[in-house]
Amino acid sequence: KIKNKIIISDKLYEKLKPSLTIIPYLNNIDTNKIQKVTSGLDSLILSKKLISIAKKKRLKKNKFHQINITLCFGGSDPKNYTYKIVKDLISLNLNFNFNIIIGSLYNKENERRLRNITYSLSNYKIYKNPKNLYSIFKQSKFAIINSGNIKYEFVSLGIPFLLFANDSKSKFFCRIFKNYFKFFHYKNFNYPKKKYLNTLLCSLIKIEKKLNFYAKSNKKRINFKSTENVVKHINNTII
């Protein structure tokens, strides 16, 4: 007896006979041939807070010791990439400030181990489920992230990043994402080797022009009215 059925997903579920399917990601579905689907760059669901911060001008910090790098791998990070990459970075002894973001669902034992290895290191700071998340992102010169909605948040903010995927499904979406945006990644979006990490991060100052080009190019592609577009599709479906 449901008159209007709206699905938000990463693919079509034709058997459910939805009135509208919203796919808030880049994908390989030709929506021109399917009237009941909205997807891609014009259908990204971005928060008002993110958009507000993204539109603010970013302060430039060119001094080597002031460079902030954000590490964020989702709210739960089930594969514990946070601990793994922090351990790798510590062994490289890099002269950067690292802002480590963990969510409320991050494993408590993993959090304890993470805090233990960063306890005596003043350039590693852990933020657990911070309310000012996007402000922390905005202050970054660079970021290391895994695949998910977070990659759309960083292109919106104009922050260059290194991206890797959790699994084969994530790699599929990363390959589509690569057709639209500019960023760094290791072979086939695998977890980066320490040598690659070291080479890339140590070259951040030298490739500043490239980073700025990536940031500007990405930001131009984002439609900050995409959420409004999704709302219009919903209204047209239920009215």
Side-chain angles (χ1 to χ4, degrees):
K1 295 181 180 180
I2 297 174
K3 185 179 179 182
N4 294 301
K5 189 184 297 177
I6 298 172
I7 296 175
I8 300 178
S9 181
D10 60 355
K11 61 183 179 180
L12 294 170
Y13 289 94
E14 294 182 1
K15 290 183 179 180
L16 297 177
K17 297 180 180 180
S19 306
L20 174 67
T21 296
I22 301 166
I23 305 176
Y25 319 99
L26 287 165
N27 56 77
N28 62 349
I29 295 173
D30 188 355
T31 54
N32 291 326
K33 296 180 180 179
I34 310 170
Q35 294 181 351
K36 295 180 180 180
V37 178
T38 178
S39 68
L41 292 177
D42 290 331
S43 299
L44 299 179
I45 299 175
L46 306 172
S47 74
K48 288 183 179 180
K49 192 172 184 179
L50 171 67
I51 295 170
S52 175
I53 293 175
K55 289 182 177 179
K56 292 179 181 178
K57 289 186 177 180
R58 193 165 158 233
L59 296 175
K60 291 184 178 180
K61 293 184 179 181
N62 295 320
K63 292 184 179 180
F64 190 81
H65 68 279
Q66 290 182 323
I67 290 181
N68 294 324
I69 297 176
T70 290
L71 312 174
C72 189
F73 309 106
S76 60
D77 187 14
K79 295 190 177 181
N80 202 16
Y81 285 124
T82 305
Y83 180 83
K84 185 177 180 180
I85 205 157
V86 168
K87 191 176 180 181
D88 286 346
L89 291 169
I90 289 173
S91 69
L92 294 174
N93 195 30
L94 298 168
N95 188 22
F96 299 111
N97 294 324
F98 292 96
N99 294 324
I100 307 162
I101 311 295
I102 59 175
S104 56
L105 298 178
Y106 188 62
N107 182 277
K108 290 184 179 180
E109 177 58 24
N110 291 338
E111 181 181 345
R112 184 190 66 78
R113 294 173 64 208
L114 181 65
R115 292 188 184 278
N116 282 344
I117 63 170
T118 59
Y119 178 75
S120 60
L121 302 173
S122 60
N123 60 324
Y124 285 82
K125 190 169 183 178
I126 298 172
Y127 295 87
K128 185 171 183 178
N129 203 28
K131 292 182 180 180
N132 61 332
L133 179 65
Y134 297 134
S135 295
I136 296 171
F137 287 174
K138 186 76 171 180
Q139 293 166 8
S140 305
K141 179 77 174 178
F142 195 75
I144 303 174
I145 59 175
N146 62 342
S147 184
N149 285 339
I150 192 172
K151 60 183 180 286
Y152 294 103
E153 294 174 336
F154 271 96
V155 296
S156 299
L157 293 167
I159 309 297
F161 55 89
L162 166 66
L163 174 68
F164 64 87
N166 293 359
D167 47 46
S168 57
K169 184 178 179 180
S170 297
K171 286 180 180 180
F172 169 77
F173 285 106
C174 283
R175 285 192 287 270
I176 296 173
F177 186 77
K178 188 183 176 184
N179 293 330
Y180 294 83
F181 297 105
K182 299 182 181 298
F183 55 94
F184 299 89
H185 66 91
Y186 188 60
K187 299 175 183 177
N188 196 28
F189 301 100
N190 291 326
Y191 179 89
K193 296 287 186 181
K194 276 203 293 185
K195 185 177 180 180
Y196 176 84
L197 270 176
N198 189 51
T199 302
L200 175 61
L201 297 182
C202 287
S203 68
L204 288 183
I205 296 298
K206 296 179 183 178
I207 62 170
E208 177 133 10
K209 287 184 179 179
K210 187 176 184 178
L211 294 178
N212 291 336
F213 172 72
Y214 278 18
K216 290 178 182 177
S217 176
N218 288 343
K219 209 167 180 180
K220 285 180 180 178
R221 279 192 171 272
I222 286 292
N223 176 10
F224 287 121
K225 292 186 177 181
S226 61
T227 308
E228 294 176 23
N229 184 56
V230 172
V231 172
K232 287 180 181 177
H233 278 286
I234 293 171
N235 285 336
N236 289 337
T237 300
I238 63 177
I239 293 174

